[in-house]
Amino acid sequence: MSDVLDYKCPSCDGAIKFDSTSQKMKCPYCGNVFDVDTIREYNERRQKIKDTGNQPQATWKEYDKNSGNGDWTKGEKINYYVCQNCGGELMTDPQTVASACPYCGSPVVLTDRVEGSLKPDFVIPFKYDKDTAKEKLKEFIKGKFLLPGSFKTENHLDSIKGIYVPFWLFDCNVDADMTFKTTRHTHWSDSKYDYVKTDYFSVWRKGKVGFDKVPVDGSSRMQDEYMEAMEPFNYTQLVNFGTEYLAGYAADKYDVDAKQCEPRADARIKTSTIAAFRDTVQGYDSCITDRCQIDLHPGEVHYALLPVWMLGSTYRGKQYMFAMNGQTGKFIGNLPVDMVKFFLLLITIFVGVSAIGILILKLMGMI
Ligand SMILES: [Zn+2]
Ligand SMILES: [Zn+2]
């Protein structure tokens, strides 16, 4: 039986041994007994799963001027601007005049450098207008206790701009092969004792998943927290890009290229695959991922623009930025905090906590 000497026990991972008395496999560590066939099948399957749980990588098709809509052509009706402060690059249709950078508020200057900047493949058009963004800001401010009262009265919007944020969308098929270790408990009692019986299972899942348009943002100027807080976007509303969607808006040119975004796409796909497979393992009291092989097939990349309203506001010399998802209306931002109100709140909490403390000490007979 030397060929089974290295076999692992499914319950505790210990080296399981052949027991000549029972003619079965018996674990010297946890005492569990299994059929020889069960142990062979369990160990063979696990060995076949090459554990790539660490970091699977796809071979992504390079995204360049030969991909998707390719590069802008000379004479294409588009205006191109560069921010003099942060270097941000913006494009608009020729009728829309861009004057200030939506991120830092600095002046932008028109350039003729259009080539080499790639034309987007898809766009999600704006669903909400400027007035809605202003209304949402009012709603956002309403009822915020820690907000200085004067913020509402003194505050005026410096700028409000509709901007398309550049995104890379990754498509890829995945083959996955995973085992999970699960348990199920049964409880019962008699007049003397409570009993718990734990059954251990090795659950195997193998299958394919198709990922369509996994988004990774391609702008370093747009703060990641802002973008993540504004998600999700509904990607079923993507349409083919046309310059007419830029009328009245500015589009930010990507400054993080598709190549640099690949690791983030790989990681998102890996996490979602594991979650999707794990979701199919139901009816157990515990479940942990045991071995996990994820093979990412070569994938394709697209370039898309997503709509965001950016609102800039100054209060007592400090800039506050707000943003609204231009498709769903989700509004986010940071507000100033009234320190007097803040300390009043802290004192109230402190007094409350002290009162409870005194009560407890009294109840315990200590004071
Ligand atoms: Zn064992
Ligand atoms: Zn700027």
Side-chain angles (χ1 to χ4, degrees), residues 86-160:
C86 72
E89 293 172 52
L90 301 172
M91 44 197 174
T92 67
D93 77 313
Q95 280 74 46
T96 308
V97 181
S99 53
C101 174
Y103 299 116
C104 70
S106 305
V108 290
V109 288
L110 193 63
T111 72
D112 52 4
R113 201 182 71 78
V114 175
E115 287 132 277
S117 57
L118 301 178
K119 190 172 171 175
D121 303 320
F122 300 108
V123 56
I124 293 179
F126 274 88
K127 286 264 183 315
Y128 288 95
D129 61 10
K130 196 179 265 189
D131 291 338
T132 315
K134 283 186 198 161
E135 277 307 307
K136 290 266 181 176
L137 175 63
K138 272 190 210 149
E139 268 173 46
F140 186 73
I141 289 172
K142 219 191 288 171
K144 294 273 193 301
F145 172 74
L146 289 176
L147 189 70
S150 54
F151 182 80
K152 290 177 216 179
T153 44
E154 286 175 30
N155 166 58
H156 52 91
L157 274 177
D158 305 329
S159 66
I160 169 160

Side-chain angles (χ1 to χ4, degrees), residues 55-63 169-174 258-259 261-263 265-267 269 294-301:
Q55 202 44 274
Q57 279 182 352
T59 318
W60 295 103
K61 203 167 149 196
E62 201 157 325
Y63 193 94
L169 304 174
F170 295 83
D171 300 344
C172 164
N173 287 318
V174 175
K259 191 104 217 125
C261 291
E262 286 176 5
D266 291 339
I269 290 170
I294 296 176
D295 297 316
L296 307 185
H297 292 221
E300 282 211 43
V301 190

